[in-house]
Structure formats: C-alpha cells, structure tokens
Amino acid sequence: MTDSALPATGREWRLLSRPVGWPKPEDFELAETEIRRPGPGEVLVRNAYVSVDPYMRGRMSSAKSYVAPFELGKVMQGGAVGEVVASEAEGVAPGDHVLHFGGWREYAVVDAKQAVKVDPDAAPLSTYLGVLGMTGLTAYAGLLRTASFKEGDSVFVSGAAGAVGSQVGQIARLKGASRVIGSAGSDEKVKLLVEEYGFDAAFNYKNGPVAEQLRDAAPDGIDVYFDNVGGDHLEAAIGSLNTKGRIAICGMISVYNNTEPAPGPKNLARLIQTRGRIEGLLVGDHYDLQPQFVQEVGAWVRSGELKYRETVVEGIENNLEAFLGVLRGDNTGKMIVKL
C-alpha cells in the first residue's frame, strides 16, 4: 500500500470518565481520528486483532497501581497484532506482521523497538494475543516460576475456562501434576475443562460453596493454587492448602468492580500451620522466559497436546462490549476482537 493509498482516518476508543463500579457505555466514546504517518523509527500498523483483558479495568481507575491509568480523553491501549502498512524503521517492512501494544484502535503508529515481528505462517495471528502471547506467558511463568510447580503437585485453578486458567491447567497436566482441578461459572465450561482440556475434576462455583466443592474435588488437598478470581476462591484454596503449598495471585476479577473494599480471607492464619506461601504475579517480570515459553508451548500447540479456545467478537465498534463480556465471564478462552 503506497502512502497516498493509506486511509486518512481511523476509529479509536477513548476513556471519557473513570467508571464507578461496573463500567458504563457513557464512560467511553468511539471516535474518528486522523491517521498520523510514521516518523523515524516508527511503523504504522493496521490492526487485525486486538485484545481485551481483565487487567484493563484497573487502568480505568486513577488509583496508583503497577501500570499507569488510561488518560481521560485519550485513546486506550492494549495488546494488538496486525500488518505493517508503512514503515520508517530499519528491519521492518510493509507486509510484515507485528505484535504491539496499540490496541483499541484500527490503526496504530508504534515505535518499532516496541513491536515484535510474528509469523502468521507458524501460527494464526490471533494466537499471538492468547495462547502464544501475554496470557500464555502469564500462565507459564505463574505456574512454573511464581508457584514453583513440581511434578506430582495437585493444582487448583480458578477462572479455569479463561485464557490464562485453561492454559495453567493444561501445562500442569503436561508437566506431571498428580491432579488438576478447575472452577468455572457454567456447567458447559466445567464439561469443557474435563473433556477437552484434560482436567481431572472441575466444578461450577455457582452450584454451591466453593470450599465444599473444592474439598470434594481435592480430598487430599492442593499443593498449588493459581488465583484468577480472589474472594471465596482464595479463602477455599487456603483451607485446602497442603504443607508448603504455594499460591500465585494472578488476578482477582471478583472484586474489580467493587465500590467498597472486599473482605479478605478469614483463614489466613492457616498459612502458619501449612507454612504456605502467597506471591503476586506480573507477567512483565518474566519476559526472560519468552523464548523458552514460545518453544515449549508452541510445540504443544502444534502437536495438539495443548488445546485452546478463542471467543472472537467482530468489529472495532464492539470492542467495549467484548471487554464487558470478559468481566461478566462470557468468554471461553481468550476474548479477542477481530477488526
């Protein structure tokens, strides 16, 4: 595509006001904006797929966190993958495909140093946002490094049908877990965990107290808990934790939209008895594992040993609804918007 053939404008999502409780459509706008041509060292990317993820809810707040909040009136950011249509950067040419962080828009100008070339022939482009992307690395690093998984461990994963959770459970199984248990929010997802992803047991957390269902699913206790949910799931996991058990805190989607502080687990003192360990997880601390992760997990994906699902929503105009769907748990596997 020549420079003269590039479109003059593209659509982008902006945050207008900071949501209180559940985000509302009036907190956002889909705006038409002029497309800037790339400057030295930059590339212009036509996004093919963009990612929506639970952590983005935190960036909509002004509270101090591990990542800067979205700016009001400005385009939001997120993972995206697309085709380079114009380049002023050495080593990146039009027609190349790159992974970058300029999501929530149709076109993005990005610093080429912040973009990673990906091969659409090696794997579908959308997988670089999920199973082979940030969510996949989160699962890999969180289980193997943060939770110090070892062969023979019994592993419990909450939000297990989601993009991260489904991969955690499968990696644990492939690495020799003695038992893998998952929780999910529907009977259909529970069936998926056991029949397709190979979990040993799974339960619908809406069908009864989590602590009771976990004890039934893991009568001998758990050695590792990978937390995507928080709340009653975390309390239940502490209650079932074996001696020297480890808990990796990846997310707490159950409390993201609370307007009042959620009560903490009432049984933290049990960690004294079990000598248990809880550690938070940020994927940005573990990018040194990326080559090892892509090699090992990529091979599992190609062989069919590791399965994945994607929930694909069509159209940039539906980006916000896709994000709200993630907070509701509508997705099975990675939620992706196809532009």
Side-chain angles (χ1 to χ4, degrees), residues 21-216:
W22 273 86
K24 301 180 294 296
E26 51 266 36
D27 295 324
F28 308 84
E29 72 166 346
L30 180 60
E32 192 92 10
T33 186
E34 185 177 333
I35 296 173
R36 178 173 71 81
R37 274 36 183 177
E42 295 180 330
V43 295
L44 173 63
V45 183
R46 181 175 56 230
N47 286 334
Y49 297 92
V50 302
S51 178
V52 287
D53 302 280
Y55 80 86
M56 293 173 174
R57 176 63 184 87
R59 295 197 67 188
M60 294 171 188
S61 164
S62 60
K64 188 174 182 181
S65 183
Y66 61 90
V67 64
F70 291 132
E71 293 184 60
L72 294 181
K74 301 287 184 66
V75 62
M76 295 184 289
Q77 298 99 34
V81 64
E83 182 182 355
V84 175
V85 293
S87 174
E88 294 296 332
E90 189 175 341
V92 185
D96 287 344
H97 291 83
V98 295
L99 173 67
H100 61 94
F101 212 63
W104 288 78
R105 69 198 89 181
E106 291 178 305
Y107 288 85
V109 175
V110 296
D111 183 340
K113 292 178 182 176
Q114 305 299 317
V116 178
K117 278 193 193 181
V118 296
D119 184 357
D121 296 323
L125 275 180
S126 59
T127 63
Y128 293 104
L129 294 176
V131 66
L132 295 179
M134 184 177 72
T135 53
L137 180 60
T138 301
Y140 188 85
L143 177 68
L144 301 182
R145 181 177 278 173
T146 306
S148 305
F149 171 85
K150 60 184 184 299
E151 187 176 352
D153 279 344
S154 175
V155 178
F156 172 45
V157 188
S158 59
V164 174
S166 60
Q167 211 156 333
V168 170
Q170 291 185 83
I171 293 171
R173 175 177 54 78
L174 289 163
K175 289 281 193 180
S178 62
R179 190 164 178 80
V180 179
I181 304 107
S183 72
S186 73
D187 293 342
E188 182 183 6
K189 289 180 179 179
V190 166
K191 184 178 178 182
L192 173 73
L193 293 176
V194 175
E195 295 185 0
E196 185 166 332
Y197 293 154
F199 282 59
D200 296 290
F203 60 85
N204 182 345
Y205 66 83
K206 297 175 183 176
N207 287 348
V210 174
E212 291 180 14
Q213 295 196 77
L214 178 58
R215 280 196 296 271
D216 290 341

Side-chain angles (χ1 to χ4, degrees), residues 14-15 25 29 35 39 90 97 102-103 108 113 123 145 150 163 177 209 211 218 227 241 250 258 271 293 297 310:
R14 299 170 183 168
L15 184 66
E29 72 166 346
I35 296 173
E90 189 175 341
H97 291 83
K113 292 178 182 176
R145 181 177 278 173
K150 60 184 184 299
D227 190 15
L241 202 64
C250 177
N258 288 1
L271 293 174
F293 156 72
V297 176
E310 295 174 339

